[in-house]
Structures are given as structure tokens and as C-alpha cells.
Amino acid sequence: MSLNEMKKRIAETTDVLFDKTKELSQKTAESASKGLKSVSDIAHQAHHDMRLAYYNPVFPEDYTDSQFDLPDMIVIEDEDARKCIDVCEGSIGWLSKEAGVEVLHLYKEFVALSGLNFFPMINCDAVYYSDTFDNKRFIDLSSYYDVIQKDKMTELRNIAYSLGAKECRLESYEEEKMISRKKVRGKAKTKVNALGEFSSSKESSRKNSVLFEQKFEGSNNPVRPELTWYAHDKELLSLIDMRCSDSGSIQEYNIEINSSLSSTMSATRACKLDTALKKLGVVCNFSLESEYETESRRHLLFYIKF
């Protein structure tokens, strides 16, 4: 091969290599560009997901989903509360967890479409808790125990009416409140023994009141009443059985109802809700725990005349 031919061959080979290198560089640049775009998308999506997790908005499709677990506590919020937050656009509120209690913060504008009943009325910033026997009914926590007590009174009145009573009366009294202080004989932790004498002081009080008195026409055709709060009260169930099996065998009936058997909520739950309210920044001049304690001391005296 002549020198000129060798030069020509080398030149052709160099051109091919240059073209291939250029093509490969272009592809590498395109791939790198796509990779950077992919990384940018992933970072943006991750940031978006983190904001969703932080604000935890609830959208209409979430609320209407059959798998959505409606919390027992709802706070009514103004829609402007999160108006400028992009991940909350189109939402109906948001979820939070306070002291282990899940809370739905529901925009007032969505209440009419929620399918829920808020009692006694709807107010912004008010806190509501679900009715034990109606998961669509939410009662303002500030009057929760009062409303439930009236529900229980209505149920007792309906029992008397359904059984054909001519007259019924419901009285209430509270167990005596006691305060005691005791000192027992024992050793102090210092070298010198300290002996203490047993002593005690006690204060007590008792409140009595008539909750309602009702008169009916009476009937000898009793029907079994629908029960919720007193569905497991053996005394009342026995009365219903006796009256429905032989309406003429009972003329008068007195029963003492222990409110602890139909507690509005447990002590643990009341305490949890009190803590949740504090976490929400709600100011209360009462506590649900004290309401529970008052209810636990309350006894009902139910008198029925047939």
C-alpha cells in the first residue's frame, strides 16, 4: 500500500470515528437531559407528597369513599383557614390526630353536603362528638352530657307510654360526696421515728330533684318499646316482659336506675377528649372527666303507675 493510500485510509477512518463520537455525545447529552428531568420530577413529587402528608387534606372523593373512616370528633372550620395552601385546593377539610384522638376539621361550606346532622346548631370553631347510637348525629361537646341526659329521659318516658302507663315520674339524686383525710401510724425515713395518730374529716352533700312528671290516658295493650341506652338494663327488661305478658298484673312499679350502667362515655374516653381539646387550643370552663364523675354519682328513681 502506497503512502498516499495509507493517508487516505487513515483520514476516512478518522472521519468515521469523529462522526460516531459526535453521535454518541449527542445521545449521552439527551440521556443526561432526560435523567435530570426525571430526577427533577421525582423531587417535585416527593415535595408534593410531603406537603400532602403534613396538611393531610380530605377531598370529596376521599369522604365519599366507602373505606373512609369518619372520626368521632369534628371541628367546624372556616374555609379561609387554608385558602392559600396549594395542596388543600378543592378539599373539604383536613384530618389531624390530637392526643390519640382522630379529628376531622370540616369546612362549614361542606356541612350541607356532608349528610351529617349537627346538634343543636352549626357554628364555626365548635367541636362536635358523635352520638353513640347514631353515627350521623354529632353533638356539640359543650352540651354533650345535657343532650344525652335528655335523650335518656325521653327513652324512659317512651317506655312508660309504650307499656300503657297512666302516670310516670323520674327523680334524680346524687351519691354523697365525701372528702376524707387519713394519717396512719408509721416510720419516718429519718433516724427519728415519727408516730402519727389516725384522723379523718368528712364532708357530704346530696342533691335531689324531679326531672319530669308525665300523665297519659293509659292502655291495656302494651307494646315493646325501642331501647338504646337501657337495652341491657335487667330491671327495665323484666318490667317490659311482665307488662307485655300480663298487662293486668302490675299496678305500680318503682325502680332505681344506676347511671353507671348506661354511661354516656367511659372515664378513659372523657379524659382523652379533654386532652385532645387542649391540644386543639379549645378553652373550656368544664371538663368531660368531671361530667363523667357527676354522672357516675347520679341515680334515677323511676316511678310508673298503670
Side-chain angles (χ1 to χ4, degrees), residues 107-138:
Y107 295 138
K108 187 177 180 181
E109 291 79 0
F110 187 75
V111 167
L113 301 174
S114 68
L116 304 176
N117 175 26
F118 293 89
F119 186 85
M121 62 183 67
I122 194 74
N123 285 310
C124 262
D125 299 320
V127 185
Y128 298 82
Y129 195 70
S130 63
D131 185 325
T132 303
F133 299 103
D134 184 355
N135 58 10
K136 296 294 184 182
R137 184 192 188 206
F138 283 77

Side-chain angles (χ1 to χ4, degrees), residues 1-10:
M1 182 182 294
S2 67
L3 181 60
N4 288 333
E5 289 178 339
M6 287 183 64
K7 288 181 178 179
K8 184 178 179 183
R9 178 75 59 86
I10 292 172

Side-chain angles (χ1 to χ4, degrees), residues 1 52 97 132 139 153 155 181 187 229 279 304:
M1 182 182 294
L52 275 176
K97 184 164 278 191
T132 303
I139 304 168
M153 288 165 54
E155 185 169 334
R181 181 169 175 267
K187 283 187 177 182
W229 288 103
K279 293 281 187 182
I304 306 176

Side-chain angles (χ1 to χ4, degrees), residues 21 24 39 49 57 61 89 102 105 117 123 153 196 225 231 236 253:
T21 302
L24 181 61
V39 170
D49 292 344
E61 58 269 25
E89 289 181 8
E102 194 169 29
H105 300 257
N117 175 26
N123 285 310
M153 288 165 54
L236 285 171
Y253 196 86

Side-chain angles (χ1 to χ4, degrees), residues 260-278:
S260 64
L261 298 177
S262 56
S263 295
T264 301
M265 64 178 68
S266 68
T268 302
R269 192 61 176 172
C271 186
K272 258 192 168 185
L273 294 182
D274 281 334
T275 306
L277 290 174
K278 289 179 183 177

